[in-house]
Amino acid sequence: MASKKAKKQRIEYECESDQFSVISDDDECDISDSETDEYELSECESGEGESWSLSGEARKPFPTDSNLGKVNVNIPFLDRNPESIFEYFFTQELIESIVSHTNIYASETIKKKRSEGSLKTASRIRYWKETDCNEVKLFIALLILQGVVKKPTMQLYFTKNEMLATPFFRQVMKRDRFLLLLSLIHFTIDSEESRKENDYHFFQIVPLLNHLKEKWQEIYTPERDISIDESLLMWKGRGLSWRTYIPRKRARMGVKSYLLCESSTGYVYDMMIYTGESTLLCDKVKDLDLKGFNKTSRVVLTLMESRLDKGHRLFLDNYYSSPKLYDTLARYKTDVVGTVRMNRRDLPPDMKDKVLKPGEVCSWYRGRLMALKWHDKKDVCMLSTIHDGSMRSHKGRGRKAKMKPAAVLDYNKGMGGVDLADQCISNYAVKKKCLKKFYMKMFLHLLEITVFNSYIIYNKYGANTTHLNFILNLVTNLTKKYSDRIKPKINEISRIRLSSSKERHFMTFVPVSSRDESRLLRKACYVCRMEKKRKDTKYRCAKCNVTLCLIPCFEIYHTKNNLVT
């Protein structure tokens, strides 16, 4: 009984504190129009303070910026590979920062444990050696690969059990070293004062989040259609005062983020983590004071700050929509389409009580804004700055054609950007269930988003590959580039095998030099050369005519068939 009561309280808390707050009629937005051109909205066109009318027509969309949908960074054609694009986000400076903070945190942890006498004899941290950039990149590559290779625990990735073994992980990094890095990796070093003033888990992830957001926005400009919605990262652990319960999400309990995504691809352009009362919301966007707006409107305007006046068409659900927000976005040349709740302020007074028959639609107009009510299986309420109440024929999967409002059809097409991103990321999500530190879980989530954004950019450059192939190529290239433990396989090079294993082979000297007959000629050993080593020898096989070291290359060459040419 107590659990049902607690669940009900959590739902009520989200609805009351997160979704909207009451605004008095005296709270007005301080909006000053700094530009004057043919698309600037007059007071009459903006619709603020006007009454609703039943007559109106569709509005002309705002002109779009010429850079929409373009990659802003000109990576050379030969360097347009998965790891180069990924390393544009995870830059060398970021990796060096992670290495520095990890080494500092590890040394401080060891000193603290020794002073407290809690450093156990069998503890992995006793054998800690300072990490470097190459090792951190290999560590990240293995984390990415865990999104494809699913196993219940971290230790099983390094097991030698024949049924469960994945030798690649052990080839790249030892198990104890990987687990040690997983427990010690840090992104900033906080003081006691910062712990008191800020939440420790959020404070840890802020530098990484800010860096990645800057890179996401720097490399690519989203297309005209974008959407804002919530995403939930599952977290059931304690220690976070800003956990949220959203029953309609798959995770239900966790940490909420607000995402601004491209509608067609799901590219994550901006992200804001909900941290309760301390959520980082702007107080002013351009020349607009946000004190008179409720929390959800401030979320939208904060995420849209860099995209205002660009001619975007923004899609919102009823969690954010309100006539006041739509009028404000229209002042900054941004079209908006979305569903709306009937308890929002400034909606048509007779909209809530209007009774409609199935398939019937009614629309109201005020300035540039249109409010629509359509009865399908239930009443659907919409707001739009570019539509009217016109209907279009639509045929669903295996269904007959049906007439639906144009605003509803465009909304269904453009609102799925965040859901598309969540779906693609969840297909190859890194294992996070066993992690006890929230900032590590958020780091892995940001890593997943960055890999997904890299995949979108890779295809924007003209490639045509799947998300899975992109991840596999990325991991392969990173490990080959930064690992000294992975050596090229000799059997990858074409060879001529021995006709019979019983043939006799004898060692002899390399022929003498024609210039000095008394001096033996030295040449590179074939086996050493295949292993990327440079070692000269004066011996060769008389039958195979192959230069070989006396020990052990002569034996290796003739006993292992896959090494013989």
Side-chain angles (χ1 to χ4, degrees):
M1 195 70 183
S3 62
K4 291 183 178 180
K5 184 177 180 181
K7 182 177 180 180
K8 183 178 180 181
Q9 289 176 349
R10 286 195 297 267
I11 296 174
E12 291 175 352
Y13 171 78
E14 185 198 1
C15 294
E16 292 178 4
S17 61
D18 294 352
Q19 293 182 359
F20 56 89
S21 59
V22 178
I23 305 175
S24 64
D25 294 332
D26 297 330
D27 293 335
E28 296 292 336
C29 302
D30 182 17
I31 302 176
S32 59
D33 300 325
S34 57
E35 299 180 5
T36 57
D37 56 32
E38 59 178 334
Y39 289 98
E40 186 175 5
L41 297 177
S42 63
E43 293 182 2
C44 179
E45 190 178 2
S46 68
E48 294 185 34
E50 283 190 17
S51 59
W52 291 90
S53 172
L54 291 173
S55 60
E57 57 184 12
R59 273 61 171 172
K60 183 180 178 181
F62 290 114
T64 58
D65 191 277
S66 58
N67 293 325
L68 298 188
K70 293 184 178 180
V71 180
N72 302 322
V73 177
N74 186 21
I75 297 178
F77 180 78
L78 295 178
D79 295 334
R80 292 177 185 177
N81 47 58
E83 75 274 14
S84 296
I85 297 173
F86 177 77
E87 288 178 342
Y88 181 85
F89 298 107
F90 271 80
T91 59
Q92 184 68 18
E93 292 76 14
L94 176 61
I95 298 297
E96 289 176 357
S97 175
I98 295 175
V99 169
S100 174
H101 290 127
T102 300
N103 289 332
I104 294 173
Y105 176 75
S107 61
E108 291 180 353
T109 302
I110 294 173
K111 290 179 182 178
K112 184 178 179 180
K113 286 181 177 292
R114 283 177 176 168
S115 63
E116 295 175 350
S118 60
L119 189 61
K120 298 180 181 179
T121 306
S123 177
R124 293 191 187 97
I125 201 171
R126 276 184 173 272
Y127 308 101
W128 168 258
K129 294 181 180 179
E130 287 197 348
T131 186
D132 56 24
C133 294
N134 288 359
E135 188 178 41
V136 169
K137 290 178 180 178
L138 290 174
F139 173 73
I140 290 175
L142 292 183
L143 290 175
I144 296 172
L145 184 59
Q146 288 181 3
V148 178
V149 183
K150 307 285 186 180
K151 295 190 179 182
T153 63
M154 288 290 185
Q155 288 79 0
L156 285 180
Y157 286 100
F158 302 88
T159 183
K160 295 183 180 180
N161 188 312
E162 293 182 356
M163 292 188 297
L164 303 172
T166 309
F168 182 81
F169 285 86
R170 286 185 279 110
Q171 292 176 11
V172 176
M173 190 176 293
K174 294 182 179 180
R175 180 198 63 184
D176 288 350
R177 184 61 176 177
F178 178 86
L179 296 177
L180 192 57
L181 281 173
L182 188 67
S183 63
L184 293 177
I185 193 167
H186 257 57
F187 312 101
T188 185
I189 300 300
D190 58 330
S191 61
E192 293 296 330
E193 296 180 358
S194 63
R195 281 201 178 199
K196 295 177 182 178
E197 296 176 358
N198 302 280
D199 189 286
Y200 171 68
H201 297 281
F202 183 66
F203 179 80
Q204 268 295 318
I205 210 67
V206 165
L208 177 66
L209 176 62
N210 291 339
H211 172 87
L212 292 178
K213 281 172 33 176
E214 180 182 349
K215 290 298 180 180
W216 296 344
Q217 298 174 20
E218 182 180 289
I219 194 172
Y220 181 65
T221 302
E223 298 173 355
R224 180 192 63 172
D225 291 351
I226 55 179
S227 62
I228 292 178
D229 202 357
E230 300 162 300
S231 178
L232 194 69
L233 175 64
M234 186 177 70
W235 176 259
K236 296 182 179 179
R238 299 179 180 180
L240 294 182
S241 59
W242 24 276
R243 285 185 307 167
T244 306
Y245 178 78
I246 305 180
R248 64 184 176 85
K249 295 292 184 180
R250 183 177 181 181
R252 297 189 181 181
M253 175 70 73
V255 175
K256 180 170 62 175
S257 301
Y258 304 105
L259 301 184
L260 170 61
C261 296
E262 187 179 59
S263 297
S264 59
T265 63
Y267 182 88
V268 181
Y269 183 79
D270 202 356
M271 177 180 183
M272 180 194 304
I273 301 176
Y274 170 78
T275 57
E277 295 297 328
S278 60
T279 303
L280 300 177
L281 297 174
C282 294
D283 294 326
K284 190 173 184 179
V285 172
K286 291 187 177 290
D287 55 352
L288 176 64
D289 188 0
L290 302 185
K291 293 181 180 179
F293 289 84
N294 60 9
K295 184 179 292 186
T296 55
S297 297
R298 292 179 64 190
V299 167
V300 173
L301 292 170
T302 300
L303 292 173
M304 285 293 297
E305 182 177 10
S306 62
R307 304 315 310 158
L308 297 176
D309 295 318
K310 305 295 183 181
H312 282 289
R313 183 166 63 174
L314 175 64
F315 294 89
L316 303 172
D317 64 12
N318 57 21
Y319 180 75
Y320 308 93
S321 294
S322 68
K324 183 176 183 179
L325 174 63
Y326 280 46
D327 288 333
T328 303
L329 289 170
R331 282 183 175 269
Y332 291 95
K333 303 182 181 65
T334 302
D335 292 311
V336 204
V337 182
T339 56
V340 65
R341 296 176 179 176
M342 289 305 304
N343 59 358
R344 296 300 194 194
R345 283 181 173 272
D346 298 330
L347 287 176
D350 57 338
M351 186 176 181
K352 184 176 183 180
D353 300 328
K354 183 74 173 179
V355 179
L356 300 176
K357 298 179 181 179
E360 191 176 357
V361 63
C362 187
S363 56
W364 295 262
Y365 302 86
R366 189 193 70 181
R368 191 176 179 89
L369 187 61
M370 185 272 300
L372 178 142
K373 187 174 184 179
W374 172 57
H375 188 88
D376 187 22
K377 295 180 180 179
K378 60 180 181 180
D379 287 339
V380 177
C381 300
M382 303 280 299
L383 287 178
S384 175
T385 60
I386 54 175
H387 292 95
D388 57 9
S390 60
M391 307 284 282
R392 290 207 309 254
S393 177
H394 174 72
K395 185 178 181 180
R397 295 181 179 177
R399 299 178 182 178
K400 296 181 180 180
K402 184 178 180 180
M403 298 299 294
K404 292 186 177 182
V408 173
L409 294 176
D410 289 343
Y411 172 82
N412 291 339
K413 184 178 179 181
M415 186 58 203
V418 177
D419 291 337
L420 177 60
D422 284 343
Q423 180 183 4
C424 294
I425 290 170
S426 65
N427 289 337
Y428 307 105
V430 183
K431 182 175 180 58
K432 301 186 280 290
K433 190 174 182 180
C434 61
L435 299 178
K436 297 181 180 180
K437 299 176 182 178
F438 170 74
Y439 69 85
M440 271 304 301
K441 197 165 187 175
M442 182 55 72
F443 161 66
L444 295 181
H445 185 55
L446 293 174
L447 178 62
E448 294 165 354
I449 294 176
T450 303
V451 172
F452 174 68
N453 280 356
S454 302
Y455 162 66
I456 299 298
I457 298 300
Y458 186 58
N459 282 344
K460 290 286 184 180
Y461 274 126
N464 185 17
T465 185
T466 63
H467 194 187
L468 175 60
N469 287 337
F470 177 85
I471 292 176
L472 295 178
N473 290 334
L474 172 62
V475 174
T476 301
N477 294 346
L478 286 176
T479 51
K480 283 184 177 180
K481 188 175 181 180
Y482 298 107
S483 177
D484 296 331
R485 301 184 65 188
I486 299 180
K487 299 177 181 179
K489 295 182 180 179
I490 300 179
N491 58 4
E492 291 178 355
I493 305 174
S494 60
R495 295 170 177 81
I496 304 173
R497 296 181 176 274
L498 289 174
S499 59
S500 172
S501 60
K502 296 183 178 180
E503 291 179 320
R504 294 189 176 188
H505 298 263
F506 299 95
M507 185 69 78
T508 184
F509 290 109
V510 176
V512 296
S513 172
S514 59
R515 296 181 181 179
D516 186 359
E517 297 182 355
S518 63
R519 184 178 180 183
L520 293 176
L521 187 65
R522 302 180 71 90
K523 291 185 178 181
C525 171
Y526 178 84
V527 175
C528 293
R529 189 171 73 249
M530 292 299 100
E531 294 182 352
K532 302 299 182 183
K533 298 178 182 177
R534 175 68 186 185
K535 188 175 180 181
D536 293 339
T537 178
K538 59 184 179 180
Y539 301 101
R540 69 183 179 93
C541 176
K543 187 175 184 62
C544 301
N545 195 25
V546 176
T547 309
L548 297 166
C549 295
L550 185 61
I551 299 174
C553 299
F554 186 88
E555 180 182 358
I556 292 174
Y557 183 84
H558 293 94
T559 57
K560 296 184 179 181
N561 287 341
N562 62 332
L563 300 180
V564 180
T565 56

Coordinates of all heavy atoms in Angstrom, one line a residue, residues 433-459:
K433 N 24.6 -1.1 -16.2 CA 23.8 -1.6 -15.0 C 24.6 -1.8 -13.8 O 24.2 -1.6 -12.7 CB 23.0 -2.8 -15.4 CG 22.0 -3.3 -14.4 CD 21.2 -4.4 -14.9 CE 20.1 -4.8 -13.9 NZ 19.3 -6.0 -14.4
C434 N 25.9 -2.3 -14.0 CA 26.7 -2.7 -12.8 C 27.5 -1.5 -12.2 O 28.2 -1.6 -11.2 CB 27.7 -3.7 -13.2 SG 28.8 -3.2 -14.5
L435 N 27.4 -0.3 -12.8 CA 28.1 0.9 -12.3 C 27.4 1.5 -11.1 O 26.2 1.7 -11.1 CB 28.3 1.9 -13.5 CG 29.0 1.4 -14.7 CD1 29.1 2.5 -15.7 CD2 30.4 0.9 -14.3
K436 N 28.2 1.9 -10.1 CA 27.7 2.4 -8.9 C 27.8 4.0 -8.9 O 27.2 4.6 -8.0 CB 28.3 1.8 -7.7 CG 28.1 0.3 -7.6 CD 28.8 -0.2 -6.3 CE 28.5 -1.7 -6.2 NZ 29.2 -2.3 -5.0
K437 N 28.6 4.5 -9.8 CA 28.8 6.0 -9.8 C 28.0 6.6 -10.9 O 28.2 6.2 -12.1 CB 30.3 6.3 -10.0 CG 31.2 5.8 -8.9 CD 32.7 6.0 -9.2 CE 33.6 5.5 -8.1 NZ 35.0 5.7 -8.4
F438 N 27.2 7.5 -10.6 CA 26.3 8.1 -11.6 C 27.1 8.8 -12.7 O 26.8 8.8 -13.9 CB 25.3 9.1 -11.0 CG 24.6 9.9 -12.1 CD1 23.6 9.3 -12.8 CD2 24.9 11.2 -12.3 CE1 22.9 10.0 -13.8 CE2 24.2 11.9 -13.3 CZ 23.3 11.3 -14.0
Y439 N 28.2 9.5 -12.3 CA 28.9 10.3 -13.3 C 29.6 9.4 -14.4 O 29.7 9.7 -15.5 CB 29.9 11.2 -12.7 CG 31.1 10.6 -12.0 CD1 32.2 10.2 -12.8 CD2 31.2 10.3 -10.7 CE1 33.3 9.6 -12.2 CE2 32.2 9.7 -10.1 CZ 33.3 9.3 -10.8 OH 34.4 8.7 -10.3
M440 N 29.9 8.1 -14.0 CA 30.4 7.2 -14.9 C 29.3 6.7 -15.9 O 29.6 6.5 -17.1 CB 31.0 6.0 -14.2 CG 32.5 6.1 -13.8 SD 33.5 6.5 -15.3 CE 33.2 5.1 -16.3
K441 N 28.1 6.6 -15.3 CA 27.0 6.2 -16.2 C 26.7 7.3 -17.2 O 26.4 7.0 -18.4 CB 25.8 5.8 -15.3 CG 24.7 5.0 -16.0 CD 23.7 4.5 -15.0 CE 22.7 3.5 -15.7 NZ 21.8 2.9 -14.8
M442 N 26.7 8.5 -16.7 CA 26.5 9.6 -17.7 C 27.6 9.8 -18.7 O 27.3 10.1 -19.8 CB 26.3 10.9 -16.9 CG 26.0 12.1 -17.7 SD 24.5 12.0 -18.8 CE 23.2 12.0 -17.6
F443 N 28.8 9.5 -18.3 CA 29.9 9.5 -19.2 C 29.7 8.5 -20.4 O 29.9 8.8 -21.5 CB 31.2 9.2 -18.5 CG 32.4 8.8 -19.4 CD1 32.9 9.6 -20.3 CD2 32.9 7.5 -19.4 CE1 33.9 9.2 -21.2 CE2 33.9 7.0 -20.2 CZ 34.4 7.9 -21.1
L444 N 29.3 7.3 -20.0 CA 29.0 6.3 -21.0 C 27.9 6.7 -21.9 O 27.9 6.4 -23.1 CB 28.7 4.9 -20.4 CG 29.9 4.3 -19.6 CD1 29.5 3.0 -19.0 CD2 31.1 4.2 -20.5
H445 N 26.9 7.4 -21.3 CA 25.7 7.8 -22.2 C 26.2 8.9 -23.1 O 25.8 8.9 -24.3 CB 24.6 8.4 -21.2 CG 23.4 8.8 -21.9 ND1 22.7 8.0 -22.8 CD2 22.7 10.0 -22.0 CE1 21.6 8.6 -23.3 NE2 21.6 9.8 -22.8
L446 N 27.0 9.8 -22.7 CA 27.6 10.9 -23.6 C 28.4 10.3 -24.7 O 28.5 10.7 -25.8 CB 28.3 11.9 -22.8 CG 27.5 12.8 -21.8 CD1 28.5 13.7 -21.0 CD2 26.5 13.6 -22.6
L447 N 29.2 9.2 -24.3 CA 30.0 8.5 -25.3 C 29.1 7.9 -26.4 O 29.4 7.9 -27.5 CB 30.8 7.4 -24.6 CG 31.7 6.5 -25.4 CD1 32.7 7.4 -26.2 CD2 32.4 5.4 -24.6
E448 N 28.0 7.3 -26.0 CA 27.0 6.7 -26.9 C 26.5 7.7 -27.9 O 26.4 7.5 -29.1 CB 25.9 6.0 -26.2 CG 26.3 4.8 -25.4 CD 25.2 4.4 -24.4 OE1 24.2 5.1 -24.2 OE2 25.4 3.4 -23.7
I449 N 26.1 8.9 -27.3 CA 25.6 10.0 -28.1 C 26.6 10.5 -29.1 O 26.3 10.7 -30.3 CB 25.1 11.2 -27.3 CG1 23.9 10.7 -26.4 CG2 24.7 12.4 -28.1 CD1 23.4 11.8 -25.4
T450 N 27.9 10.6 -28.7 CA 28.9 11.1 -29.5 C 29.2 10.1 -30.7 O 29.5 10.5 -31.8 CB 30.2 11.3 -28.7 OG1 29.9 12.2 -27.7 CG2 31.3 11.9 -29.6
V451 N 29.2 8.8 -30.4 CA 29.4 7.8 -31.4 C 28.2 7.9 -32.4 O 28.5 7.8 -33.7 CB 29.5 6.4 -30.8 CG1 29.5 5.3 -31.9 CG2 30.7 6.2 -30.0
F452 N 27.0 8.0 -31.9 CA 25.9 8.2 -32.8 C 26.0 9.4 -33.7 O 25.8 9.4 -34.9 CB 24.6 8.2 -32.0 CG 23.3 8.5 -32.8 CD1 22.9 7.5 -33.7 CD2 22.7 9.7 -32.7 CE1 21.7 7.8 -34.5 CE2 21.5 9.9 -33.5 CZ 21.1 9.0 -34.4
N453 N 26.4 10.6 -33.1 CA 26.6 11.8 -33.9 C 27.7 11.6 -34.9 O 27.6 12.1 -36.1 CB 26.9 13.0 -33.0 CG 25.6 13.5 -32.3 OD1 24.5 13.1 -32.6 ND2 25.8 14.5 -31.4
S454 N 28.7 10.9 -34.6 CA 29.8 10.7 -35.5 C 29.3 9.8 -36.7 O 29.7 10.1 -37.8 CB 31.0 9.9 -34.8 OG 31.5 10.6 -33.7
Y455 N 28.5 8.9 -36.4 CA 27.9 8.1 -37.5 C 27.1 8.9 -38.4 O 27.1 8.8 -39.7 CB 27.0 7.0 -36.9 CG 26.1 6.3 -37.8 CD1 26.5 5.6 -38.9 CD2 24.7 6.4 -37.6 CE1 25.6 5.0 -39.8 CE2 23.8 5.9 -38.4 CZ 24.2 5.1 -39.5 OH 23.3 4.5 -40.4
I456 N 26.3 9.9 -37.9 CA 25.5 10.8 -38.7 C 26.4 11.6 -39.6 O 26.1 11.8 -40.8 CB 24.5 11.6 -37.9 CG1 23.6 10.8 -37.0 CG2 23.8 12.6 -38.7 CD1 22.6 10.0 -37.9
I457 N 27.4 12.2 -39.0 CA 28.3 13.0 -39.8 C 29.1 12.2 -40.9 O 29.3 12.7 -42.0 CB 29.4 13.7 -38.8 CG1 28.6 14.6 -37.8 CG2 30.4 14.5 -39.6 CD1 27.8 15.7 -38.5
Y458 N 29.4 11.0 -40.5 CA 30.1 10.1 -41.5 C 29.3 9.9 -42.7 O 29.7 10.0 -43.9 CB 30.4 8.8 -40.8 CG 31.3 7.8 -41.7 CD1 32.5 8.2 -42.1 CD2 30.8 6.5 -41.9 CE1 33.3 7.3 -42.9 CE2 31.5 5.7 -42.7 CZ 32.8 6.0 -43.2 OH 33.5 5.2 -43.9
N459 N 28.0 9.7 -42.5 CA 27.1 9.5 -43.7 C 26.8 10.8 -44.4 O 26.5 10.9 -45.6 CB 25.7 8.9 -43.2 CG 25.9 7.4 -43.0 OD1 26.8 6.8 -43.5 ND2 25.0 6.8 -42.3

